Amino acid sequence: MSKDILIIGAGISGSVLAERYAAQGKKVLMLEKRNHIGGNCYDYIDENGILISKYGAHLFHTNDEEVWEYVNRFSNWYKWEHKVLARVGNQLVPIPVNINTVNRIFNLNLTTKKEMKMWLDLNRIPFKNPKNGKETVLNKIGEKLYEKMFKYYTKKQWDKYPEELNAAVLDRIPVRLNKDDRYFTDKYQALPENGYTKIFEKMLSHKNIEIHLNTDYFDVRNTLPKFEKVFYTGPIDQFFDFKYSIKDKLEYRSIHFEFETLNKKYFQNNSVINYPGPEVNFTRIIEYKHFGNQISDKTTIVREYSTADGEPYYPVLNEKNLRLYKLYQQEAKKHPDIHFVGRLANYKYFNMDEAFKNALNLFYALQTQTLKTL
Ligand code: UDP
C-alpha cells in the first residue's frame, strides 16, 4: 500500500499528526525506533501491579481549551493537582517556594501575603532583566533559598550551574506569596484514567496508520519511497548527520532511571521528592503508586540521575546551544517538504500540552496552506 505521509517518531507530536492525517483519509506510515509507541510518555503496569512511566513522571496541565478538548477525545481524565516536596536538610518543604517553605526552613511564622512579600523583599537580590538562571532565582527568592534549593539541583540536572543556563529554564518555577503548594496552577491538571499508553493506542488505532516499531529511520532512510509530506520528530542534529557539530555538539540531557521494588506499602509520603542538595547524586525520587492512589502491597520507586549520554530528553538551553541549533534550523528551512516538530526537532523545552498544541497548530497551518493552493 503506498503512503501519503511519513512520520518519524511515535511520541506526542508524531501521534497527533498521524491521528489528524489518518482522520482526513491520508495513509500514514509511522517509524519508531523503540519497541513501543508513546515516546517518553510510555507507561505500563509493572510486576507490582503499579502503573509506572518508563521515562519519568508525566504530569499533564494546561490552560488551553483546544488541547484539553483534544486529549479528552482519547481518554477519561481524573483531576490530579501535582505537589512536590524538596528535602532541605532534615526537612521536607514544598516547592515552588511558598509561605510554608520559608517558615519551615527558617523557623518563622509568616502568615499573610504581605509578610511573605516583606520577607522576599529583605532577601531577594533584584535584577531588572535577569540574564541567566541564577539571576532569575536570586531576583525571586535571594541567595539563601537559591543555595538550598536551586544551585546544586540545577548542577545535577544539567551539569551546569544556573548562571550557565538561560533565564527561562529556572523561570519555570514560580514563587508564591500564599500557601498554595501545587506545582502548577493551570485550569486543567489531570492524569489519564488508564495511563498515557492507552491514549496513544487509541490515537493510532486507525486503519490508515501503519506503525513499524524497532525501526530506526536512519537505517532505512535510503530505501524509502517519496511521500507527500514527511514529519521528523527526532533530534535535529542527527537528521543532518551532525554536520555543524564539529567542535561542539548540540547538547541534550538524558536521565538514568534506577528502579527499585520495596516490600512495604510506602517509601515516602509524596509522589515526588526532590533532592536539591549536593549530598546525593540523584535529583529526585518518584513513588508511582501515589499517582491516582494506587493499591499494592509493594511499592516501586525510581531514583533519577541526569546524564549527558543516553536517549536525549531535554534540550540544554543556553546561548551556545541555541546558536548551534539555529544553524540546523537554517538547514531545515532548505527542506520545505520535511517538517521538524517536537521537543527534539525544535530544540524546545515543551511541556506536554505545548507538544500537543504545537503539532495541532502545524497540522492546521498545513491544511490552510493546502486549501489556499487548491
Ligand atoms: N529546579 C531546581 N530545584 C528543584 C526543582 C527545579 O533547581 O527542586 C530547577 C532545575 O534547574 C530544573 C528547572 O528548575 O531543571 C525546571 O524544573 P522542572 O520541575 O520544570 O523540571 P522538569 O520537571 O521538566 O524536569
Side-chain angles (χ1 to χ4, degrees), residues 153-200:
Y153 186 103
T154 300
K155 173 68 177 149
K156 289 192 282 187
Q157 166 69 23
W158 302 100
D159 195 24
K160 293 193 184 339
Y161 284 106
E163 59 266 40
E164 301 170 89
L165 292 166
N166 279 8
V169 177
L170 283 103
D171 222 10
R172 289 169 62 87
I173 317 281
V175 57
R176 306 253 165 80
L177 297 177
N178 53 21
K179 293 185 177 174
D180 185 353
D181 59 355
R182 295 171 307 160
Y183 207 63
F184 311 109
T185 50
D186 302 50
K187 180 167 174 193
Y188 304 109
Q189 308 188 33
L191 291 175
E193 210 165 65
N194 299 307
Y196 290 103
T197 304
K198 292 271 179 269
I199 292 184
F200 290 93

Side-chain angles (χ1 to χ4, degrees), residues 128-142:
K128 245 204 179 122
N129 297 305
K131 286 192 303 296
N132 57 51
K134 182 174 182 179
E135 291 184 1
T136 297
V137 179
L138 291 179
N139 184 51
K140 282 187 197 167
I141 53 175

